[in-house]
């Protein structure tokens, strides 16, 4: 498992909480809070855009 530096969790209006993280190589990660060992990975930019869309209400169905 890579050494991931997780950011503070973001929680939506419901019980949907997730965290973003990066490793020493700049790779981006996202995980449900409490399940950080089961993460998705992509470029940091792709994950940041997905989070911006979720926060803007464009992708609530993903949560």
């Amino acid at each position: 498992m890579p050494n991931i530096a997780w950011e503070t969790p973001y929680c939506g209006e419901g019980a949907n909480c997730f965290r973003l993280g990066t490793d020493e190589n700049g790779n981006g990660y996202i995980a449900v809070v409490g399940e950080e060992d089961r993460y998705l990975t992509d470029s940091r930019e792709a994950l940041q855009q997905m989070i911006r869309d979720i926060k803007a209400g464009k992708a609530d169905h993903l949560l």
Side-chain angles (χ1 to χ4, degrees):
M1 180 175 188
N3 185 21
I4 303 170
W6 294 105
E7 295 181 6
T8 303
Y10 170 79
C11 297
E13 292 180 16
N16 301 313
C17 297
F18 57 90
R19 297 179 84 172
L20 292 177
T22 54
D23 65 15
E24 58 276 355
N25 296 320
N27 297 313
Y29 300 85
I30 186 170
V32 174
V33 171
E35 297 184 26
E36 286 82 356
D37 59 329
R38 296 177 48 206
Y39 53 81
L40 296 174
T41 184
D42 201 337
S43 70
R44 182 179 177 94
E45 294 78 20
L47 292 173
Q48 286 176 324
Q49 184 59 50
M50 183 178 72
I51 298 308
R52 283 192 290 272
D53 289 345
I54 291 169
K55 287 181 178 181
K58 296 179 184 178
D60 287 341
H61 62 283
L62 294 175
L63 300 173

